PDB file of all heavy atoms in Angstrom:
ATOM      1  N   THR L 249      19.754  -9.257  -2.423  1.00 94.00           N
ATOM      2  CA  THR L 249      19.346  -8.347  -1.351  1.00 94.00           C
ATOM      3  C   THR L 249      18.192  -8.875  -0.509  1.00 94.00           C
ATOM      4  O   THR L 249      18.109  -8.575   0.681  1.00 94.00           O
ATOM      5  CB  THR L 249      18.957  -6.976  -1.926  1.00 94.00           C
ATOM      6  OG1 THR L 249      17.890  -7.140  -2.881  1.00 94.00           O
ATOM      7  CG2 THR L 249      20.138  -6.323  -2.607  1.00 94.00           C
ATOM      8  N   THR L 250      17.308  -9.665  -1.112  1.00 94.00           N
ATOM      9  CA  THR L 250      16.181 -10.188  -0.330  1.00 94.00           C
ATOM     10  C   THR L 250      16.612 -11.285   0.638  1.00 94.00           C
ATOM     11  O   THR L 250      15.831 -11.679   1.510  1.00 94.00           O
ATOM     12  CB  THR L 250      15.082 -10.742  -1.251  1.00 94.00           C
ATOM     13  OG1 THR L 250      15.630 -11.770  -2.091  1.00 94.00           O
ATOM     14  CG2 THR L 250      14.487  -9.637  -2.110  1.00 94.00           C
ATOM     15  N   ARG L 251      17.847 -11.740   0.501  1.00 93.00           N
ATOM     16  CA  ARG L 251      18.369 -12.792   1.384  1.00 93.00           C
ATOM     17  C   ARG L 251      19.306 -12.237   2.457  1.00 93.00           C
ATOM     18  O   ARG L 251      19.791 -12.983   3.303  1.00 93.00           O
ATOM     19  CB  ARG L 251      19.083 -13.863   0.562  1.00 93.00           C
ATOM     20  CG  ARG L 251      18.131 -14.688  -0.299  1.00 93.00           C
ATOM     21  CD  ARG L 251      18.859 -15.499  -1.360  1.00 93.00           C
ATOM     22  NE  ARG L 251      17.974 -16.462  -2.012  1.00 93.00           N
ATOM     23  CZ  ARG L 251      17.111 -16.136  -2.971  1.00 93.00           C
ATOM     24  NH1 ARG L 251      17.019 -14.882  -3.390  1.00 93.00           N
ATOM     25  NH2 ARG L 251      16.341 -17.061  -3.515  1.00 93.00           N
ATOM     26  N   LEU L 252      19.563 -10.936   2.390  1.00 93.00           N
ATOM     27  CA  LEU L 252      20.460 -10.309   3.356  1.00 93.00           C
ATOM     28  C   LEU L 252      19.690  -9.831   4.584  1.00 93.00           C
ATOM     29  O   LEU L 252      18.488  -9.571   4.513  1.00 93.00           O
ATOM     30  CB  LEU L 252      21.162  -9.116   2.711  1.00 93.00           C
ATOM     31  CG  LEU L 252      22.100  -9.408   1.537  1.00 93.00           C
ATOM     32  CD1 LEU L 252      22.590  -8.095   0.939  1.00 93.00           C
ATOM     33  CD2 LEU L 252      23.276 -10.264   1.989  1.00 93.00           C
ATOM     34  N   PRO L 253      20.368  -9.671   5.710  1.00 92.00           N
ATOM     35  CA  PRO L 253      19.713  -9.042   6.859  1.00 92.00           C
ATOM     36  C   PRO L 253      19.251  -7.636   6.496  1.00 92.00           C
ATOM     37  O   PRO L 253      19.905  -6.927   5.722  1.00 92.00           O
ATOM     38  CB  PRO L 253      20.835  -9.002   7.916  1.00 92.00           C
ATOM     39  CG  PRO L 253      21.798 -10.063   7.507  1.00 92.00           C
ATOM     40  CD  PRO L 253      21.746 -10.091   6.010  1.00 92.00           C
ATOM     41  N   VAL L 254      18.132  -7.227   7.049  1.00 91.00           N
ATOM     42  CA  VAL L 254      17.539  -5.935   6.697  1.00 91.00           C
ATOM     43  C   VAL L 254      18.522  -4.773   6.886  1.00 91.00           C
ATOM     44  O   VAL L 254      18.651  -3.924   5.993  1.00 91.00           O
ATOM     45  CB  VAL L 254      16.242  -5.711   7.506  1.00 91.00           C
ATOM     46  CG1 VAL L 254      15.763  -4.266   7.386  1.00 91.00           C
ATOM     47  CG2 VAL L 254      15.152  -6.657   7.016  1.00 91.00           C
ATOM     48  N   PRO L 255      19.245  -4.667   8.012  1.00 92.00           N
ATOM     49  CA  PRO L 255      20.169  -3.527   8.169  1.00 92.00           C
ATOM     50  C   PRO L 255      21.255  -3.479   7.087  1.00 92.00           C
ATOM     51  O   PRO L 255      21.646  -2.391   6.645  1.00 92.00           O
ATOM     52  CB  PRO L 255      20.785  -3.758   9.559  1.00 92.00           C
ATOM     53  CG  PRO L 255      19.784  -4.596  10.281  1.00 92.00           C
ATOM     54  CD  PRO L 255      19.211  -5.497   9.228  1.00 92.00           C
ATOM     55  N   LEU L 256      21.754  -4.644   6.643  1.00 94.00           N
ATOM     56  CA  LEU L 256      22.794  -4.668   5.614  1.00 94.00           C
ATOM     57  C   LEU L 256      22.218  -4.209   4.269  1.00 94.00           C
ATOM     58  O   LEU L 256      22.865  -3.447   3.533  1.00 94.00           O
ATOM     59  CB  LEU L 256      23.386  -6.072   5.497  1.00 94.00           C
ATOM     60  CG  LEU L 256      24.489  -6.255   4.442  1.00 94.00           C
ATOM     61  CD1 LEU L 256      25.620  -5.270   4.668  1.00 94.00           C
ATOM     62  CD2 LEU L 256      25.011  -7.696   4.463  1.00 94.00           C
ATOM     63  N   THR L 257      21.011  -4.648   3.953  1.00 93.00           N
ATOM     64  CA  THR L 257      20.362  -4.197   2.721  1.00 93.00           C
ATOM     65  C   THR L 257      20.193  -2.686   2.735  1.00 93.00           C
ATOM     66  O   THR L 257      20.424  -2.003   1.723  1.00 93.00           O
ATOM     67  CB  THR L 257      18.996  -4.874   2.550  1.00 93.00           C
ATOM     68  OG1 THR L 257      19.162  -6.291   2.556  1.00 93.00           O
ATOM     69  CG2 THR L 257      18.333  -4.456   1.245  1.00 93.00           C
ATOM     70  N   TYR L 258      19.802  -2.160   3.878  1.00 92.00           N
ATOM     71  CA  TYR L 258      19.612  -0.709   4.017  1.00 92.00           C
ATOM     72  C   TYR L 258      20.932   0.024   3.765  1.00 92.00           C
ATOM     73  O   TYR L 258      20.961   1.048   3.064  1.00 92.00           O
ATOM     74  CB  TYR L 258      19.088  -0.404   5.410  1.00 92.00           C
ATOM     75  CG  TYR L 258      18.692   1.034   5.634  1.00 92.00           C
ATOM     76  CD1 TYR L 258      17.527   1.550   5.077  1.00 92.00           C
ATOM     77  CD2 TYR L 258      19.463   1.865   6.440  1.00 92.00           C
ATOM     78  CE1 TYR L 258      17.143   2.863   5.293  1.00 92.00           C
ATOM     79  CE2 TYR L 258      19.092   3.188   6.669  1.00 92.00           C
ATOM     80  CZ  TYR L 258      17.933   3.673   6.086  1.00 92.00           C
ATOM     81  OH  TYR L 258      17.563   4.984   6.308  1.00 92.00           O
ATOM     82  N   ALA L 259      22.026  -0.511   4.287  1.00 93.00           N
ATOM     83  CA  ALA L 259      23.340   0.112   4.087  1.00 93.00           C
ATOM     84  C   ALA L 259      23.734   0.102   2.615  1.00 93.00           C
ATOM     85  O   ALA L 259      24.314   1.074   2.102  1.00 93.00           O
ATOM     86  CB  ALA L 259      24.392  -0.611   4.924  1.00 93.00           C
ATOM     87  N   LEU L 260      23.407  -0.963   1.909  1.00 91.00           N
ATOM     88  CA  LEU L 260      23.749  -1.061   0.485  1.00 91.00           C
ATOM     89  C   LEU L 260      22.955  -0.083  -0.371  1.00 91.00           C
ATOM     90  O   LEU L 260      23.335   0.185  -1.515  1.00 91.00           O
ATOM     91  CB  LEU L 260      23.496  -2.489  -0.004  1.00 91.00           C
ATOM     92  CG  LEU L 260      24.441  -3.571   0.539  1.00 91.00           C
ATOM     93  CD1 LEU L 260      24.001  -4.947   0.063  1.00 91.00           C
ATOM     94  CD2 LEU L 260      25.878  -3.294   0.096  1.00 91.00           C
ATOM     95  N   CYS L 261      21.883   0.451   0.181  1.00 91.00           N
ATOM     96  CA  CYS L 261      21.067   1.402  -0.576  1.00 91.00           C
ATOM     97  C   CYS L 261      21.734   2.771  -0.700  1.00 91.00           C
ATOM     98  O   CYS L 261      21.339   3.566  -1.571  1.00 91.00           O
ATOM     99  CB  CYS L 261      19.691   1.566   0.077  1.00 91.00           C
ATOM    100  SG  CYS L 261      18.618   0.146  -0.157  1.00 91.00           S
ATOM    101  N   TYR L 262      22.724   3.063   0.131  1.00 92.00           N
ATOM    102  CA  TYR L 262      23.372   4.376   0.063  1.00 92.00           C
ATOM    103  C   TYR L 262      24.055   4.631  -1.283  1.00 92.00           C
ATOM    104  O   TYR L 262      23.808   5.665  -1.910  1.00 92.00           O
ATOM    105  CB  TYR L 262      24.348   4.547   1.226  1.00 92.00           C
ATOM    106  CG  TYR L 262      23.662   4.959   2.511  1.00 92.00           C
ATOM    107  CD1 TYR L 262      23.118   4.017   3.367  1.00 92.00           C
ATOM    108  CD2 TYR L 262      23.551   6.311   2.863  1.00 92.00           C
ATOM    109  CE1 TYR L 262      22.473   4.397   4.541  1.00 92.00           C
ATOM    110  CE2 TYR L 262      22.908   6.698   4.027  1.00 92.00           C
ATOM    111  CZ  TYR L 262      22.374   5.737   4.872  1.00 92.00           C
ATOM    112  OH  TYR L 262      21.732   6.121   6.023  1.00 92.00           O
ATOM    113  N   PRO L 263      24.915   3.720  -1.767  1.00 89.00           N
ATOM    114  CA  PRO L 263      25.518   3.985  -3.083  1.00 89.00           C
ATOM    115  C   PRO L 263      24.483   3.987  -4.202  1.00 89.00           C
ATOM    116  O   PRO L 263      24.612   4.763  -5.164  1.00 89.00           O
ATOM    117  CB  PRO L 263      26.524   2.842  -3.255  1.00 89.00           C
ATOM    118  CG  PRO L 263      26.113   1.789  -2.278  1.00 89.00           C
ATOM    119  CD  PRO L 263      25.507   2.523  -1.132  1.00 89.00           C
ATOM    120  N   LEU L 264      23.470   3.145  -4.097  1.00 87.00           N
ATOM    121  CA  LEU L 264      22.412   3.131  -5.103  1.00 87.00           C
ATOM    122  C   LEU L 264      21.681   4.466  -5.122  1.00 87.00           C
ATOM    123  O   LEU L 264      21.339   4.997  -6.188  1.00 87.00           O
ATOM    124  CB  LEU L 264      21.431   1.992  -4.793  1.00 87.00           C
ATOM    125  CG  LEU L 264      20.317   1.735  -5.808  1.00 87.00           C
ATOM    126  CD1 LEU L 264      20.899   1.319  -7.152  1.00 87.00           C
ATOM    127  CD2 LEU L 264      19.377   0.649  -5.279  1.00 87.00           C
ATOM    128  N   THR L 265      21.478   5.030  -3.941  1.00 90.00           N
ATOM    129  CA  THR L 265      20.759   6.293  -3.824  1.00 90.00           C
ATOM    130  C   THR L 265      21.571   7.447  -4.411  1.00 90.00           C
ATOM    131  O   THR L 265      21.006   8.383  -4.987  1.00 90.00           O
ATOM    132  CB  THR L 265      20.437   6.577  -2.343  1.00 90.00           C
ATOM    133  OG1 THR L 265      19.653   5.494  -1.839  1.00 90.00           O
ATOM    134  CG2 THR L 265      19.663   7.866  -2.181  1.00 90.00           C
ATOM    135  N   LEU L 266      22.884   7.386  -4.300  1.00 89.00           N
ATOM    136  CA  LEU L 266      23.735   8.425  -4.887  1.00 89.00           C
ATOM    137  C   LEU L 266      23.588   8.479  -6.407  1.00 89.00           C
ATOM    138  O   LEU L 266      23.698   9.548  -7.011  1.00 89.00           O
ATOM    139  CB  LEU L 266      25.193   8.186  -4.500  1.00 89.00           C
ATOM    140  CG  LEU L 266      25.550   8.419  -3.025  1.00 89.00           C
ATOM    141  CD1 LEU L 266      26.968   7.967  -2.737  1.00 89.00           C
ATOM    142  CD2 LEU L 266      25.372   9.890  -2.650  1.00 89.00           C
ATOM    143  N   LEU L 267      23.313   7.329  -7.030  1.00 86.00           N
ATOM    144  CA  LEU L 267      23.133   7.300  -8.480  1.00 86.00           C
ATOM    145  C   LEU L 267      21.842   7.990  -8.913  1.00 86.00           C
ATOM    146  O   LEU L 267      21.667   8.309 -10.083  1.00 86.00           O
ATOM    147  CB  LEU L 267      23.106   5.855  -8.982  1.00 86.00           C
ATOM    148  CG  LEU L 267      24.421   5.077  -8.926  1.00 86.00           C
ATOM    149  CD1 LEU L 267      24.194   3.646  -9.385  1.00 86.00           C
ATOM    150  CD2 LEU L 267      25.483   5.749  -9.785  1.00 86.00           C
ATOM    151  N   GLY L 268      20.952   8.226  -7.943  1.00 81.00           N
ATOM    152  CA  GLY L 268      19.646   8.797  -8.252  1.00 81.00           C
ATOM    153  C   GLY L 268      19.685  10.229  -8.732  1.00 81.00           C
ATOM    154  O   GLY L 268      18.644  10.774  -9.127  1.00 81.00           O
ATOM    155  N   ILE L 269      20.855  10.866  -8.704  1.00 82.00           N
ATOM    156  CA  ILE L 269      20.960  12.228  -9.223  1.00 82.00           C
ATOM    157  C   ILE L 269      21.802  12.300 -10.500  1.00 82.00           C
ATOM    158  O   ILE L 269      22.038  13.377 -11.034  1.00 82.00           O
ATOM    159  CB  ILE L 269      21.573  13.184  -8.161  1.00 82.00           C
ATOM    160  CG1 ILE L 269      22.957  12.695  -7.719  1.00 82.00           C
ATOM    161  CG2 ILE L 269      20.629  13.341  -6.971  1.00 82.00           C
ATOM    162  CD1 ILE L 269      23.679  13.662  -6.807  1.00 82.00           C
ATOM    163  N   VAL L 270      22.249  11.139 -10.985  1.00 82.00           N
ATOM    164  CA  VAL L 270      23.088  11.096 -12.185  1.00 82.00           C
ATOM    165  C   VAL L 270      22.192  10.983 -13.420  1.00 82.00           C
ATOM    166  O   VAL L 270      21.441  10.010 -13.547  1.00 82.00           O
ATOM    167  CB  VAL L 270      24.061   9.905 -12.136  1.00 82.00           C
ATOM    168  CG1 VAL L 270      24.917   9.877 -13.400  1.00 82.00           C
ATOM    169  CG2 VAL L 270      24.928   9.972 -10.883  1.00 82.00           C
ATOM    170  N   PRO L 271      22.224  11.962 -14.323  1.00 80.00           N
ATOM    171  CA  PRO L 271      21.388  11.899 -15.530  1.00 80.00           C
ATOM    172  C   PRO L 271      21.597  10.589 -16.282  1.00 80.00           C
ATOM    173  O   PRO L 271      22.717  10.099 -16.407  1.00 80.00           O
ATOM    174  CB  PRO L 271      21.867  13.101 -16.350  1.00 80.00           C
ATOM    175  CG  PRO L 271      22.423  14.055 -15.332  1.00 80.00           C
ATOM    176  CD  PRO L 271      23.057  13.185 -14.275  1.00 80.00           C
ATOM    177  N   GLY L 272      20.502  10.021 -16.752  1.00 73.00           N
ATOM    178  CA  GLY L 272      20.576   8.767 -17.494  1.00 73.00           C
ATOM    179  C   GLY L 272      20.608   7.567 -16.568  1.00 73.00           C
ATOM    180  O   GLY L 272      19.692   6.745 -16.566  1.00 73.00           O
ATOM    181  N   LEU L 273      21.627   7.468 -15.730  1.00 76.00           N
ATOM    182  CA  LEU L 273      21.757   6.328 -14.824  1.00 76.00           C
ATOM    183  C   LEU L 273      20.655   6.291 -13.772  1.00 76.00           C
ATOM    184  O   LEU L 273      20.305   5.228 -13.275  1.00 76.00           O
ATOM    185  CB  LEU L 273      23.123   6.345 -14.131  1.00 76.00           C
ATOM    186  CG  LEU L 273      24.340   6.042 -14.994  1.00 76.00           C
ATOM    187  CD1 LEU L 273      25.614   6.117 -14.154  1.00 76.00           C
ATOM    188  CD2 LEU L 273      24.213   4.671 -15.643  1.00 76.00           C
ATOM    189  N   LYS L 274      20.127   7.458 -13.432  1.00 77.00           N
ATOM    190  CA  LYS L 274      19.125   7.502 -12.360  1.00 77.00           C
ATOM    191  C   LYS L 274      17.895   6.656 -12.678  1.00 77.00           C
ATOM    192  O   LYS L 274      17.231   6.154 -11.767  1.00 77.00           O
ATOM    193  CB  LYS L 274      18.724   8.941 -12.059  1.00 77.00           C
ATOM    194  CG  LYS L 274      17.974   9.650 -13.173  1.00 77.00           C
ATOM    195  CD  LYS L 274      17.650  11.085 -12.762  1.00 77.00           C
ATOM    196  CE  LYS L 274      16.872  11.831 -13.844  1.00 77.00           C
ATOM    197  NZ  LYS L 274      16.582  13.233 -13.415  1.00 77.00           N
ATOM    198  N   TYR L 275      17.605   6.462 -13.951  1.00 71.00           N
ATOM    199  CA  TYR L 275      16.417   5.684 -14.319  1.00 71.00           C
ATOM    200  C   TYR L 275      16.636   4.178 -14.159  1.00 71.00           C
ATOM    201  O   TYR L 275      15.701   3.402 -14.295  1.00 71.00           O
ATOM    202  CB  TYR L 275      15.980   6.016 -15.748  1.00 71.00           C
ATOM    203  CG  TYR L 275      15.437   7.421 -15.848  1.00 71.00           C
ATOM    204  CD1 TYR L 275      16.149   8.409 -16.526  1.00 71.00           C
ATOM    205  CD2 TYR L 275      14.229   7.774 -15.245  1.00 71.00           C
ATOM    206  CE1 TYR L 275      15.658   9.711 -16.614  1.00 71.00           C
ATOM    207  CE2 TYR L 275      13.733   9.068 -15.316  1.00 71.00           C
ATOM    208  CZ  TYR L 275      14.451  10.028 -16.008  1.00 71.00           C
ATOM    209  OH  TYR L 275      13.973  11.306 -16.081  1.00 71.00           O
ATOM    210  N   LEU L 276      17.869   3.774 -13.893  1.00 73.00           N
ATOM    211  CA  LEU L 276      18.144   2.379 -13.581  1.00 73.00           C
ATOM    212  C   LEU L 276      18.110   2.135 -12.079  1.00 73.00           C
ATOM    213  O   LEU L 276      18.266   0.995 -11.634  1.00 73.00           O
ATOM    214  CB  LEU L 276      19.494   1.956 -14.168  1.00 73.00           C
ATOM    215  CG  LEU L 276      19.566   1.938 -15.700  1.00 73.00           C
ATOM    216  CD1 LEU L 276      20.968   1.555 -16.148  1.00 73.00           C
ATOM    217  CD2 LEU L 276      18.532   0.994 -16.291  1.00 73.00           C
ATOM    218  N   THR L 277      17.939   3.185 -11.280  1.00 82.00           N
ATOM    219  CA  THR L 277      17.717   3.029  -9.849  1.00 82.00           C
ATOM    220  C   THR L 277      16.205   2.971  -9.631  1.00 82.00           C
ATOM    221  O   THR L 277      15.425   2.913 -10.579  1.00 82.00           O
ATOM    222  CB  THR L 277      18.345   4.174  -9.047  1.00 82.00           C
ATOM    223  OG1 THR L 277      17.605   5.379  -9.277  1.00 82.00           O
ATOM    224  CG2 THR L 277      19.791   4.393  -9.450  1.00 82.00           C
ATOM    225  N   TYR L 278      15.783   3.039  -8.372  1.00 87.00           N
ATOM    226  CA  TYR L 278      14.364   2.819  -8.091  1.00 87.00           C
ATOM    227  C   TYR L 278      13.704   4.025  -7.449  1.00 87.00           C
ATOM    228  O   TYR L 278      12.578   3.935  -6.956  1.00 87.00           O
ATOM    229  CB  TYR L 278      14.222   1.550  -7.231  1.00 87.00           C
ATOM    230  CG  TYR L 278      15.002   0.433  -7.862  1.00 87.00           C
ATOM    231  CD1 TYR L 278      16.205  -0.023  -7.309  1.00 87.00           C
ATOM    232  CD2 TYR L 278      14.604  -0.107  -9.084  1.00 87.00           C
ATOM    233  CE1 TYR L 278      16.956  -1.000  -7.941  1.00 87.00           C
ATOM    234  CE2 TYR L 278      15.352  -1.075  -9.721  1.00 87.00           C
ATOM    235  CZ  TYR L 278      16.523  -1.517  -9.142  1.00 87.00           C
ATOM    236  OH  TYR L 278      17.275  -2.472  -9.784  1.00 87.00           O
ATOM    237  N   SER L 279      14.396   5.160  -7.494  1.00 86.00           N
ATOM    238  CA  SER L 279      13.816   6.416  -7.033  1.00 86.00           C
ATOM    239  C   SER L 279      14.622   7.580  -7.585  1.00 86.00           C
ATOM    240  O   SER L 279      15.860   7.541  -7.580  1.00 86.00           O
ATOM    241  CB  SER L 279      13.797   6.496  -5.503  1.00 86.00           C
ATOM    242  OG  SER L 279      13.337   7.757  -5.071  1.00 86.00           O
ATOM    243  N   VAL L 280      13.919   8.600  -8.048  1.00 83.00           N
ATOM    244  CA  VAL L 280      14.578   9.831  -8.483  1.00 83.00           C
ATOM    245  C   VAL L 280      14.070  11.010  -7.651  1.00 83.00           C
ATOM    246  O   VAL L 280      14.138  12.158  -8.080  1.00 83.00           O
ATOM    247  CB  VAL L 280      14.337  10.082  -9.994  1.00 83.00           C
ATOM    248  CG1 VAL L 280      15.017   9.007 -10.810  1.00 83.00           C
ATOM    249  CG2 VAL L 280      12.847  10.138 -10.318  1.00 83.00           C
ATOM    250  N   HIS L 281      13.566  10.725  -6.474  1.00 87.00           N
ATOM    251  CA  HIS L 281      13.056  11.782  -5.599  1.00 87.00           C
ATOM    252  C   HIS L 281      14.193  12.749  -5.247  1.00 87.00           C
ATOM    253  O   HIS L 281      15.329  12.327  -4.994  1.00 87.00           O
ATOM    254  CB  HIS L 281      12.471  11.176  -4.324  1.00 87.00           C
ATOM    255  CG  HIS L 281      11.600  12.113  -3.553  1.00 87.00           C
ATOM    256  ND1 HIS L 281      12.106  13.118  -2.767  1.00 87.00           N
ATOM    257  CD2 HIS L 281      10.247  12.207  -3.454  1.00 87.00           C
ATOM    258  CE1 HIS L 281      11.114  13.785  -2.207  1.00 87.00           C
ATOM    259  NE2 HIS L 281       9.975  13.250  -2.609  1.00 87.00           N
ATOM    260  N   PRO L 282      13.934  14.053  -5.228  1.00 87.00           N
ATOM    261  CA  PRO L 282      15.013  15.016  -4.949  1.00 87.00           C
ATOM    262  C   PRO L 282      15.560  14.957  -3.523  1.00 87.00           C
ATOM    263  O   PRO L 282      16.703  15.360  -3.287  1.00 87.00           O
ATOM    264  CB  PRO L 282      14.345  16.373  -5.226  1.00 87.00           C
ATOM    265  CG  PRO L 282      12.879  16.119  -5.111  1.00 87.00           C
ATOM    266  CD  PRO L 282      12.672  14.722  -5.580  1.00 87.00           C
TER     267      PRO L 282
END
Side-chain angles (χ1 to χ4, degrees):
T249 58
T250 58
R251 291 166 170 79
L252 296 174
V254 168
L256 180 56
T257 303
Y258 187 74
L260 291 175
C261 287
Y262 279 86
L264 185 63
T265 301
L266 290 172
L267 290 177
I269 58 173
V270 180
L273 290 179
K274 67 181 181 181
Y275 291 110
L276 294 178
T277 70
Y278 310 107
S279 175
V280 294
H281 196 283

